[in-house]
Amino acid sequence: MSTVDKDLDYTSSEMMTVTAARALQNGMTCFVGIGLPSEAANLARLTHAPDVVLIYESGTLQTKPDVLPLSIGDGELAETALTTVSVPEMFRYWLQGGKIDVGFLGTAQIDRYCNLNTTLIGDYREPKVRLPGGGGAPEIATNAGEVFITLKHSKRAFVDRVDFVTTLGFGRDGKGRDGVPNIGKGPTRVITDLCVMKPDPETKELVVVSLHPGVSREDVIEATGWEIRFAETLESTPEPSARELEVLRELKDRTARAHAGA
Amino acid sequence: MSTVDKDLDYTSSEMMTVTAARALQNGMTCFVGIGLPSEAANLARLTHAPDVVLIYESGTLQTKPDVLPLSIGDGELAETALTTVSVPEMFRYWLQGGKIDVGFLGTAQIDRYCNLNTTLIGDYREPKVRLPGGGGAPEIATNAGEVFITLKHSKRAFVDRVDFVTTLGFGRDGKGRDGVPNIGKGPTRVITDLCVMKPDPETKELVVVSLHPGVSREDVIEATGWEIRFAETLESTPEPSARELEVLRELKDRTARAHAGA
Amino acid sequence: MAEFLSLRDAVARYVEDGATVAMEGFTHLIPFAAGHEVIRQKKRDLTLIRMTPDLVYDQMIGAGCARKVIFSWGGNPGVGSLHRLRDAVEKGWPHKVEILEHSHAAMACAFEAGAAGLPLAVLRGYVGSELPSVNDQIKFIECPFTGERLAAVPAVRPDVSIVHAQKADRAGNVLVEGIVGVQKEAVLAAKQSIVTVEEIVDDLRAEVDYHPNACIIPGWAISAIAVAEKGSLPSYAHSYYPRNNAFYKEWDGIARDRDTFTRWIEENVMKAGGNA
Amino acid sequence: MAEFLSLRDAVARYVEDGATVAMEGFTHLIPFAAGHEVIRQKKRDLTLIRMTPDLVYDQMIGAGCARKVIFSWGGNPGVGSLHRLRDAVEKGWPHKVEILEHSHAAMACAFEAGAAGLPLAVLRGYVGSELPSVNDQIKFIECPFTGERLAAVPAVRPDVSIVHAQKADRAGNVLVEGIVGVQKEAVLAAKQSIVTVEEIVDDLRAEVDYHPNACIIPGWAISAIAVAEKGSLPSYAHSYYPRNNAFYKEWDGIARDRDTFTRWIEENVMKAGGNA
């Protein structure tokens, strides 16, 4: 999937997952998207944040899967949940009801204002590529306290203008949340396999705040579809610890074994 | 409570309950008010309508209490229910969702157009007597397929003009349901200890259609606060059967014994 | 995250004078112990929300805690009137209490909407009823798809909700079982919440009667948990103890008279410990 | 009152050409057996509603049953695209299929509103999303109490809903357990409903795992019940069998190509008995 960094004993994928995991604090309630967010959220739970509360849109509240789910409603999620509620209750009482600290999302496309596109590439009526659609994201992004986004860095994903705003970041002009009542803070960080970005407090444009070890500014510029900005004091993302890598690899091994069987 | 009819082996109260019970058909879903309606509905279940589905606003679905509940949410109701749902679900999915064939209500006051008052006697801001209020009745009366009403006949209850329309019968002018979309048929019969009344198909004014054995037109006129009308062919309500009386008395005895203990 | 407090500390911390308070439990699991603690701590000017005020609010109103009551059925179930509620509304004793009156359907929807984070609830309700003429919180909207006229009421969003439940576990997760009423909605709709429980167990998921879809409120959605054994007597707790029907009848005599009532509160609430 | 029918008879009676059909099950208890029966009976021009179309709708769309699909997430979970859905929408094979696209929150609320007998659902949703620009069923209303702008979508009210569940008893009462999705709402929102089940037991209340607040749909709220053992494979049934993850991956290869797909349907659905 990803290449091993030359001098380091971990892949850029692992770097991304570990960094995304670290964003979650113990005790937070997290509405988890499937795929990369789910991997990061469970790594957090298995390392520094044992009491992070993981919630999946299938209605599974406070779930502790032993292996990563393939779908948002795997049996594993229900069997390890504190309790499982209906999907309407999940979206109404738990998400819209304001019980979610952070929504953790992936995406196919993202722009400089963190708007997300998971609907299609091309024109809506004549799509070049049809993607799955909104799912839970449009309301997770507005009803959760804040939003973390994690995805691989590439020019296809980081585009100057998303083909469709499925899910609000800060709008086409960065002002999409201004004056909207009862709305969350929106995206507060984007974690990729190259860096960590945060929206500028004023303009809401994404700014690289931290580069992963071994990654250069040019690597990021190269993989971004707009003229990406860098923070004045650019940090270096801390490396994964041995324990984080061990736990992550065990988790992925367990997952592979479990899903190979079925 | 009620006097025994001179030549007959049952009271006028028993006559009322048995007649009210007979109005329920087997298999109907009935949203049951506490008190007289509950007594009648359970008698129906224990005699001719074993599969009548009794639903109480406390969320108890398809309940089969062995003794009559004192409150709308007695433990007995939950313990004998098929399942118990939340009160919002009860009112939203089951009542408003159109799953109820008949709402069975009592009332403090009723007028010729079957409007019910359970709010107060006198003026709203300066009540002479404050009653409990609407409870479930306002929406039972409009969202159930039809409504049965049972109460004792007296001039205090059957008034020319209710002091307050808590619950719609057919409105102050009999036209309160005309042109209202998605509304039930409203009251289709009123069962008292003297007679059975039905709304006139045109004007919706209550008409006596059946007199209980031993009851005269004058008895009804005397106990009604407006000039009550009688159907052209006035029927005589069939007497309770020995079995109905036996089951009803056993039910009330069981109930008295159960509630005396606690 | 739920904090385990004594009932006294929980009420002292979360029930402020002037607050909007919902104490729920639909004939079942009525939080009497908490109500008594509110009386003992002489909380004042509360806006009390409850579908069925029952004896618990009759006691609080008579004891002078309430400024306003929002309800949909105000009687002594199976018995008759709530004399203290009536005396306050009709005669202004111990002081005038304002009422705001709904139907059950509207209040249930308003709790549901509160839990769902909405500002309003929409329902097919109040058709032909005169309640909208005496409650200016009932409005009507038009469905943008069908043109149908629908009732709208504001969501219930209490400052604090108080409910009673069967069990909590050490992580603060609470199980409600049997008639669940609007307790979950009341807790989720409120800014703060206190749950009193019959007992604390190690882990709800390890209990023999655990069910994957049981009505469980997670500890992180609750402010405080307080143990109050028999905390809902004279109402009942499914699988713990039955309703004290005799007391509901007795209450009619106690509450009818101001002096008898005052003596009863003095002896049974004020002089009682933290667990009356 | 639920009638016990064979799956063939239930689909023949209740799924009419041109009908609006919701087949629900949120990754769990997906009614595949019923979907295959719909394909075998060559139902046409259906408006198919489902939050997550999944393989079951991919198969039905590829087999030519659908005229329109209403959904909120159309992928092969954990794998990738639904190739038959895409081929129909993008290339019009086997014929053009119209789509109407929502978010999960809106569809969940729309099912909830359908069950609740309302014409619309109101939610804090679609803020800043461009979905309202391509779906004219999304409107906005103003809260009469706060002035807040809220999204509104029409309630889902299908002609027929089909769901799969673990058990029914002889009275037709159905138990749904584990991830319950929007199945109960789908059944209650529909004019007619078919529930397929793994097995029939005597009496749900007498089962060892009976719980007073379990998710049970009473028999009188259901039109027909049909036994379909393993009726939700390749999805799963909590406490019966796990998800066939391998098949979800395989499907990607099968569905990518029209001919491979057609052969698969012919061999695995058309030639199969009533229980494929």
Side-chain angles (χ1 to χ4, degrees):
Chain A
M1 307 275 269
S2 42
T3 52
V4 176
D5 261 279
K6 285 171 198 68
D7 304 322
L8 296 160
D9 189 26
Y10 55 87
T11 67
S12 58
S13 264
E14 288 172 333
M15 182 71 212
M16 168 169 62
T17 302
V18 166
T19 306
R22 287 174 177 170
L24 278 178
Q25 289 163 33
N26 201 20
M28 273 183 160
T29 52
C30 177
F31 204 103
V32 188
I34 207 69
L36 292 177
S38 172
E39 196 173 312
N42 279 290
L43 177 60
R45 183 176 60 79
L46 294 168
T47 54
H48 68 282
D51 295 325
V52 69
V53 175
L54 304 189
I55 293 172
Y56 289 74
E57 64 195 18
S58 50
T60 48
L61 266 177
Q62 200 167 341
T63 181
K64 301 179 173 183
D66 191 49
V67 301
L68 295 172
L70 272 183
S71 86
I72 200 85
D74 273 19
E76 178 75 10
L77 294 174
E79 280 153 25
T80 61
L82 172 63
T83 186
T84 299
V85 301
S86 75
V87 168
E89 177 177 327
M90 178 52 77
F91 280 97
R92 291 170 66 79
Y93 289 6
W94 301 94
L95 178 60
Q96 186 176 264
K99 306 300 177 195
I100 307 297
D101 295 325
V102 55
F104 213 143
L105 298 175
T107 185
Q109 280 190 336
I110 182 170
D111 68 18
R112 77 181 70 206
Y113 293 119
C114 279
N115 301 300
L116 310 183
N117 174 20
T118 53
T119 302
L120 52 83
I121 310 297
D123 176 70
Y124 190 81
R125 298 292 158 202
E126 301 285 341
K128 259 182 270 175
V129 181
R130 177 64 227 197
L131 301 165
E139 282 75 19
I140 294 172
T142 53
N143 288 325
E146 64 183 311
V147 179
F148 299 163
I149 298 159
T150 182
L151 75 161
K152 292 213 174 194
H153 220 127
S154 79
K155 265 208 160 100
R156 278 179 55 199
F158 285 76
V159 295
D160 187 42
R161 188 181 162 81
V162 290
D163 292 24
F164 190 88
V165 178
T166 313
T167 298
L168 178 70
F170 297 99
R172 297 279 189 194
D173 59 359
K175 301 183 198 305
R177 288 175 191 260
D178 296 1
V180 178
N182 306 299
I183 194 166
K185 276 191 279 187
T188 52
R189 65 185 78 192
V190 178
I191 301 114
T192 77
D193 48 345
L194 301 183
C195 65
V196 178
M197 287 165 280
K198 293 187 177 180
D200 180 285
E202 292 302 313
T203 66
K204 304 302 181 188
E205 185 176 334
L206 275 178
V207 176
V208 178
V209 295
S210 175
L211 287 175
H212 296 345
V215 175
S216 69
R217 287 175 183 242
E218 289 62 38
D219 293 337
V220 175
I221 290 166
E222 192 60 34
T224 306
W226 70 87
E227 261 185 63
I228 182 73
R229 291 175 48 209
F230 294 83
E232 281 183 30
T233 50
L234 195 56
E235 305 202 351
S236 176
T237 318
E239 297 202 332
S241 71
R243 166 132 198 277
E244 285 167 326
L245 288 171
E246 187 192 331
V247 172
L248 174 59
R249 286 166 189 175
E250 279 175 10
L251 174 63
K252 298 197 76 163
D253 284 354
R254 274 202 305 280
T255 300
R257 279 197 305 275
H259 293 160
Chain B
M1 306 278 269
S2 43
T3 52
V4 177
D5 261 277
K6 284 170 196 73
D7 303 322
L8 296 160
D9 192 24
Y10 54 87
T11 67
S12 58
S13 267
E14 288 172 334
M15 182 71 213
M16 168 170 60
T17 303
V18 167
T19 307
R22 287 175 179 170
L24 279 178
Q25 289 163 33
N26 200 21
M28 273 181 160
T29 53
C30 177
F31 204 103
V32 188
I34 206 71
L36 293 177
S38 172
E39 195 173 312
N42 280 290
L43 177 59
R45 183 176 60 79
L46 294 168
T47 53
H48 67 283
D51 295 326
V52 70
V53 175
L54 304 189
I55 293 172
Y56 289 74
E57 65 196 16
S58 50
T60 49
L61 266 177
Q62 201 168 340
T63 180
K64 301 178 175 185
D66 191 49
V67 301
L68 295 172
L70 272 182
S71 87
I72 200 84
D74 273 19
E76 178 74 11
L77 293 175
E79 280 154 25
T80 62
L82 171 64
T83 187
T84 299
V85 301
S86 76
V87 168
E89 177 177 326
M90 178 51 78
F91 279 99
R92 292 169 66 80
Y93 288 7
W94 301 95
L95 179 60
Q96 187 176 260
K99 306 300 178 196
I100 307 297
D101 295 323
V102 54
F104 214 141
L105 298 175
T107 185
Q109 280 190 336
I110 182 170
D111 67 18
R112 75 181 71 203
Y113 293 119
C114 280
N115 300 300
L116 310 183
N117 173 18
T118 54
T119 302
L120 53 83
I121 310 297
D123 176 70
Y124 190 81
R125 297 292 157 203
E126 300 286 339
K128 261 182 271 176
V129 182
R130 177 66 226 196
L131 302 164
E139 283 75 21
I140 294 172
T142 53
N143 288 325
E146 62 183 313
V147 179
F148 300 162
I149 298 160
T150 182
L151 75 161
K152 291 212 177 194
H153 219 127
S154 78
K155 265 206 158 103
R156 279 178 56 197
F158 285 76
V159 296
D160 188 44
R161 189 182 163 80
V162 290
D163 292 23
F164 189 88
V165 178
T166 312
T167 298
L168 178 68
F170 297 99
R172 297 280 190 192
D173 60 358
K175 301 184 200 305
R177 288 174 190 259
D178 297 0
V180 178
N182 305 302
I183 193 167
K185 277 191 280 187
T188 52
R189 64 184 79 192
V190 179
I191 300 116
T192 76
D193 49 346
L194 301 183
C195 64
V196 177
M197 287 165 279
K198 293 187 177 180
D200 178 285
E202 292 300 313
T203 66
K204 303 300 182 189
E205 183 176 334
L206 275 178
V207 176
V208 178
V209 295
S210 176
L211 287 175
H212 296 344
V215 174
S216 69
R217 287 175 182 242
E218 288 64 40
D219 293 339
V220 175
I221 291 167
E222 191 60 32
T224 308
W226 71 86
E227 260 185 62
I228 181 75
R229 291 174 49 209
F230 293 84
E232 280 183 32
T233 51
L234 194 58
E235 303 200 353
S236 176
T237 318
E239 297 202 330
S241 70
R243 170 138 193 274
E244 284 167 325
L245 289 171
E246 189 192 329
V247 172
L248 175 58
R249 286 167 189 174
E250 280 175 12
L251 174 63
K252 299 198 75 163
D253 284 353
R254 275 202 306 278
T255 301
R257 278 198 304 275
H259 293 159
Chain C
M1 198 60 202
E3 205 175 339
F4 290 88
L5 296 177
S6 70
L7 180 52
R8 181 174 310 185
D9 290 348
V11 167
R13 182 172 321 165
Y14 291 114
V15 182
E16 294 183 4
D17 285 353
T20 297
V21 182
M23 299 177 67
E24 270 298 343
F26 198 85
T27 71
H28 175 217
L29 294 172
I30 301 177
F32 272 95
H36 290 181
E37 187 57 38
V38 170
I39 292 172
R40 273 192 296 275
Q41 295 192 18
K42 296 193 168 62
K43 301 294 183 183
R44 289 295 177 266
D45 294 320
L46 304 178
T47 292
L48 294 176
I49 306 175
R50 199 175 141 74
M51 293 182 68
T52 56
D54 203 90
L55 274 49
V56 67
Y57 275 13
D58 210 35
Q59 292 168 359
M60 291 169 69
I61 291 162
C65 302
R67 187 181 64 75
K68 185 175 180 176
V69 184
I70 302 177
F71 72 102
S72 42
W73 194 88
N76 178 344
V79 181
S81 287
L82 293 175
H83 300 293
R84 293 298 99 225
L85 170 62
R86 285 184 55 178
D87 200 20
V89 173
E90 296 168 22
K91 309 259 165 63
W93 190 91
H95 51 73
K96 195 78 188 164
V97 165
E98 194 186 333
I99 58 171
L100 197 66
E101 191 164 2
H102 279 286
S103 68
H104 275 353
M107 277 197 82
C109 290
F111 271 107
E112 203 274 352
L118 289 171
L120 85 165
V122 174
L123 68 153
R124 280 203 173 124
Y126 289 123
V127 178
S129 170
E130 290 176 2
L131 282 166
S133 70
V134 296
N135 180 342
D136 61 8
Q137 295 283 280
I138 304 166
K139 294 185 190 282
F140 292 88
I141 64 166
E142 197 179 273
C143 173
F145 303 103
T146 63
E148 184 178 346
R149 184 173 180 262
L150 297 161
V153 293
V156 168
R157 308 295 297 263
D159 293 321
V160 56
S161 284
I162 308 180
V163 304
H164 187 69
Q166 278 98 345
K167 313 176 193 184
D169 67 17
R170 299 202 184 281
N173 305 308
V174 162
L175 174 76
V176 191
E177 215 171 39
I179 290 178
V180 296
V182 295
Q183 280 99 305
K184 181 168 169 176
E185 287 76 13
V187 167
L188 297 183
K191 297 187 190 77
Q192 307 288 349
S193 57
I194 303 171
V195 182
T196 59
V197 293
E198 288 297 321
E199 60 171 331
I200 309 277
V201 298
D202 259 358
D203 179 1
L204 281 181
R205 293 191 77 246
E207 294 285 290
V208 286
D209 54 355
Y210 168 77
H211 184 275
N213 304 111
C215 178
I216 290 175
I217 310 172
W220 44 267
I222 297 166
S223 309
I225 292 173
V227 175
E229 268 181 65
K230 302 245 158 71
S232 66
L233 270 182
S235 85
Y236 72 104
H238 178 93
S239 79
Y240 284 76
Y241 46 85
R243 191 168 185 262
N244 185 345
N245 288 318
F247 184 79
Y248 272 80
K249 286 178 200 154
E250 263 174 58
W251 182 253
D252 192 69
I254 297 165
R256 226 172 248 281
D257 179 77
R258 291 175 185 173
D259 291 341
T260 323
F261 166 78
T262 305
R263 261 198 315 278
W264 187 91
I265 290 286
E266 191 56 34
E267 277 161 31
N268 295 278
V269 179
M270 300 311 286
K271 287 188 184 158
N275 212 9
Chain D
M1 196 62 203
E3 205 175 338
F4 290 88
L5 296 176
S6 69
L7 179 52
R8 180 173 311 184
D9 289 349
V11 168
R13 184 174 317 168
Y14 291 114
V15 183
E16 293 183 4
D17 284 355
T20 298
V21 182
M23 299 176 69
E24 269 299 343
F26 199 86
T27 70
H28 174 219
L29 293 173
I30 300 177
F32 272 95
H36 290 180
E37 186 57 37
V38 170
I39 293 172
R40 272 192 296 275
Q41 296 191 19
K42 298 193 165 60
K43 300 293 181 183
R44 289 295 177 267
D45 293 321
L46 303 178
T47 293
L48 294 176
I49 306 175
R50 201 176 138 74
M51 293 182 68
T52 57
D54 202 89
L55 275 48
V56 67
Y57 275 13
D58 211 34
Q59 294 168 357
M60 290 168 70
I61 292 162
C65 304
R67 186 181 64 76
K68 184 174 180 177
V69 184
I70 302 177
F71 72 102
S72 43
W73 194 87
N76 178 345
V79 181
S81 285
L82 292 176
H83 300 292
R84 293 298 99 223
L85 170 62
R86 285 183 55 178
D87 201 18
V89 172
E90 296 169 23
K91 310 260 166 59
W93 190 90
H95 51 73
K96 195 79 189 162
V97 164
E98 194 186 332
I99 57 170
L100 196 67
E101 195 166 358
H102 279 286
S103 68
H104 276 352
M107 276 197 83
C109 289
F111 271 108
E112 203 273 354
L118 288 171
L120 84 165
V122 173
L123 67 153
R124 278 203 175 124
Y126 290 123
V127 177
S129 170
E130 290 176 0
L131 282 166
S133 71
V134 296
N135 180 344
D136 61 9
Q137 295 284 281
I138 304 166
K139 294 186 189 284
F140 292 88
I141 64 166
E142 196 179 274
C143 173
F145 303 103
T146 62
E148 183 178 346
R149 184 172 179 264
L150 297 162
V153 293
V156 168
R157 306 296 296 263
D159 293 320
V160 56
S161 284
I162 307 180
V163 305
H164 187 69
Q166 278 98 345
K167 310 177 194 183
D169 66 17
R170 299 201 183 281
N173 305 308
V174 162
L175 175 76
V176 191
E177 215 171 40
I179 290 179
V180 294
V182 295
Q183 280 100 306
K184 182 169 168 174
E185 286 76 14
V187 168
L188 297 184
K191 297 187 190 77
Q192 307 288 349
S193 57
I194 302 171
V195 182
T196 59
V197 293
E198 289 296 322
E199 61 171 330
I200 309 278
V201 298
D202 258 358
D203 179 1
L204 282 180
R205 294 191 77 244
E207 294 285 290
V208 288
D209 53 356
Y210 169 76
H211 184 276
N213 305 111
C215 178
I216 289 176
I217 310 174
W220 43 267
I222 296 166
S223 309
I225 293 174
V227 174
E229 269 181 63
K230 302 244 158 73
S232 66
L233 269 181
S235 85
Y236 73 104
H238 177 93
S239 79
Y240 284 77
Y241 46 85
R243 191 167 183 263
N244 184 345
N245 287 320
F247 183 79
Y248 271 81
K249 286 178 199 151
E250 264 174 58
W251 183 252
D252 193 68
I254 297 166
R256 226 173 248 282
D257 179 79
R258 292 175 185 173
D259 291 339
T260 324
F261 166 79
T262 304
R263 261 198 316 278
W264 188 91
I265 289 285
E266 190 57 33
E267 277 161 31
N268 295 278
V269 179
M270 300 311 284
K271 286 186 185 159
N275 212 8

